[in-house]
Amino acid sequence: LPFPKAPAEWLTEAERLAARYPGAFVERKAAGFVVHYRLAPAAEGPMTEALARLVGAAADRFRLVPGRKALEVRPIGADKGHAVRLLMARGPFRGRQPIFIGDERTDEDGIAAAEALGGVGLFVPAVFGCPEAVRNWLARLLDLGNATPLPWPERMEACRPTDDLAGERAEP
């Protein structure tokens, strides 16, 4: 399904506002964009207000999705859940159970889609504690090969704070 593109004037407004805050930047996406403000926390309020106003005028077609120190403007339906459903309907994935691992709010649609398709959705902070625990679990799965049932992930208590998870970018 083709998705509508965010209006060019929205992108222009986001770039203009991000330019006021050193460290903030706009990441262009196929049909929308993400404003990252990790290095410019003062941009959060003004950026949230401006983008909410723009997206609110087209709430039937677009969503404003808060992420970790970021705000994403995207068309409704253009999310990781849609991508999971597309993949699972194709070739080698058809009839299988998906496993989706995510670490932030923008992953919630993918987690829900995996679960709706009879698979598993795993939210890193709640299930694993940190990315290191995800890597350890995946390594165990590789070691086990085709063994079933798969071992459930184990939470690591001695993890870095979830603020350090991989989805966050420090610079453009």
Side-chain angles (χ1 to χ4, degrees):
L1 297 172
F3 294 106
K5 289 191 175 197
E9 55 270 17
W10 292 7
L11 182 60
T12 300
E13 174 68 11
E15 289 174 333
R16 184 188 62 73
L17 191 53
R20 293 184 190 171
Y21 298 92
F25 66 95
V26 177
E27 173 190 0
R28 294 172 181 235
K29 299 235 175 178
F33 57 91
V34 181
V35 178
H36 298 269
Y37 55 84
R38 178 181 187 200
L39 299 177
E44 180 179 12
M47 194 60 75
T48 301
E49 189 176 304
L51 295 178
R53 180 179 41 78
L54 293 172
V55 173
D60 60 326
R61 295 178 296 133
F62 290 90
R63 285 180 60 190
L64 178 60
V65 182
R68 194 175 309 106
K69 309 289 186 192
L71 295 164
E72 182 175 4
V73 172
R74 68 175 181 221
I76 291 174
D79 56 51
K80 294 174 185 174
H82 178 75
V84 168
R85 288 186 294 280
L86 282 176
L87 281 172
M88 297 309 294
R90 295 184 183 197
F93 305 111
R94 191 176 297 120
R96 295 183 181 226
Q97 294 177 316
I99 297 174
F100 189 99
I101 302 171
D103 67 354
E104 64 173 293
R105 290 188 64 183
T106 61
D107 295 321
E108 291 172 353
D109 296 313
I111 289 169
E115 292 171 351
L117 292 167
V120 178
L122 304 170
F123 187 58
V124 174
V127 176
F128 296 95
C130 64
E132 182 184 359
V134 175
R135 289 188 292 273
N136 292 344
W137 183 62
L138 292 173
R140 276 184 62 209
L141 294 181
L142 280 174
D143 289 343
L144 292 171
N146 290 328
T148 55
L150 296 177
W152 192 250
E154 294 177 15
R155 182 170 172 75
M156 288 182 65
E157 297 303 328
C159 289
R160 298 187 306 251
T162 57
D163 241 13
D164 292 342
L165 290 173
E168 187 170 297
R169 291 176 41 169
E171 54 191 64

